[in-house]
Amino acid sequence: MRNILKYPLLFCLLLLVSSCSGSQNSKDKKIYSLQPGKECIVIPIDDNTNCYSMSMFSYMSPEGIPYLSYENEQTNELNFYRLDSCKLSHKIKIAQEGPEAIGRFIGHTVIDLDNILIFDQFKISRINRNGKILDKYNLITDTQIALCHPPTSKVYAPMIVQDSYIYLYQALMYSDKPYDGDALERYPLCIKVNMQTKQTEKLPLTYPRLWETENENGIFTCSRDYDGTNFVYSFFISNSIYVTRDNQTFKKYPCKSQYINGLPKNNYPLDIQATQNESIENASYGNIIYDKYRKVYYRFFQPACELNKQDNIADLMKTGKKFSIMILDKDFQVIGETLFPENTYIPVMFFVLEDGLYISDNNFQNPEFNENVLSFRRMELIEL
């Protein structure tokens, strides 16, 4: 540096070149947006099927047939719809009594059409397309029952099946004492179930430090997806995402929405009604989804909003009021964010196909709402 300072003109030229180079790199960065396309998948449903589900996933068969597996809470059934013909393929009745009884369930994963994992809090049942139980896996470790988060799509945290292992995200156990930052960093985040030995173990990875001692009612909910190499976690109160390959350590990436100032609120009132209202009004992050066809991640975000007297809280607890979707590249850098109109979509009902991300446009407040169909609009990933 001393030698450079001897030649002021050279130093100025170096600064100019550096400045121009930085400006050029910024210009070269590609920015993307998600825009509603013309294509829409509309599936007729019968009178016994609810048009809203907390757990639905797409599945591509070896023959290349796309299916939607759809939990119908009303009948305790798992419906399979073909997404190419928009017709019901078959239903699986999940028995609540008898030799094949599983009980009330929430959350599932399709390995193939004759190997389906059904989640029931303390166990996983593997069934075939006739509902016959093929195997069971108890979610119990050597020390305590594993409190696994239901593998739903409302809070997107599907069971990940790799090499005869099932990976589940673990929720925090109830405690009389609040979890401070130190306690979080001691609490295992991931459960692994060996489908051959049926042993369940907690992996070394623990929760990141999301809050400190003074925040006694910390919100720990998170979404988790897998891209074939990385497990990626989106905690609903964090401006960052957390990525791990080995389930031992995290790498943290900044992932802040342009529609938030500061941090999401992390303290909620104990009153149920007030908590529901604030969960709709307060800014928070949501699901993270991997799009393997375009090699990008989508992170959902709920900007802060205000409720009106005429708002239906029960409906908004399902759909939310406002949302945006952040777009992340393969290096987990934010390359775009799209804000969507209110009262049009249900951002927790979605799936990814080869031709794009599909989101339900059958919002209860949408003038075109139809309780007799499942309707999903394709979102086009566009370079700006």
Side-chain angles (χ1 to χ4, degrees), residues 215-282:
N215 296 321
E216 295 186 354
N217 295 320
I219 305 300
F220 53 82
T221 307
C222 80
S223 169
R224 187 266 287 118
D225 205 0
Y226 180 65
D227 62 13
T229 302
N230 303 286
F231 291 86
V232 181
Y233 288 82
S234 167
F235 290 91
F236 287 12
I237 62 165
S238 178
N239 283 331
S240 301
I241 58 170
Y242 295 79
V243 180
T244 181
R245 290 191 174 191
D246 56 10
N247 283 296
Q248 296 187 41
T249 57
F250 274 128
K251 187 169 183 182
K252 184 177 176 181
Y253 293 87
C255 189
K256 185 177 180 181
S257 169
Q258 62 180 303
Y259 300 106
I260 187 173
N261 293 320
L263 289 167
K265 184 179 178 181
N266 188 34
N267 247 323
Y268 280 77
L270 297 178
D271 175 74
I272 294 178
Q273 183 64 54
T275 298
Q276 289 179 340
N277 290 356
E278 290 200 21
S279 70
I280 298 167
E281 293 181 314
N282 291 340

Side-chain angles (χ1 to χ4, degrees), residues 41 43 56-71 78-92 108 110-114 116 129 293 350-354 358 374 376:
I41 292 176
I43 305 169
M56 43 163 276
F57 300 97
S58 61
Y59 163 73
M60 183 71 72
S61 74
E63 298 77 26
I65 300 173
Y67 290 88
L68 179 69
S69 57
Y70 188 90
E71 291 185 18
L78 186 59
N79 299 356
F80 281 79
Y81 298 98
R82 285 187 55 155
L83 295 173
D84 54 352
S85 62
C86 297
K87 293 181 179 180
L88 176 70
S89 168
H90 60 281
K91 295 184 179 184
I92 302 176
H108 69 280
V110 179
I111 300 174
D112 61 55
L113 295 181
D114 265 312
I116 303 153
R129 65 183 295 151
Y293 302 102
F350 54 80
F351 51 84
V352 176
L353 296 181
E354 189 171 358
Y358 283 81
L374 305 176
F376 302 92

Side-chain angles (χ1 to χ4, degrees), residues 120-145:
D120 177 27
Q121 191 172 8
F122 299 133
K123 70 177 184 296
I124 296 171
S125 300
R126 184 167 61 89
I127 65 172
N128 64 14
R129 65 183 295 151
N130 298 315
K132 179 178 175 57
I133 296 176
L134 305 176
D135 216 338
K136 290 184 179 181
Y137 313 98
N138 290 322
L139 301 177
I140 299 176
T141 65
D142 294 336
T143 55
Q144 66 182 48
I145 294 173

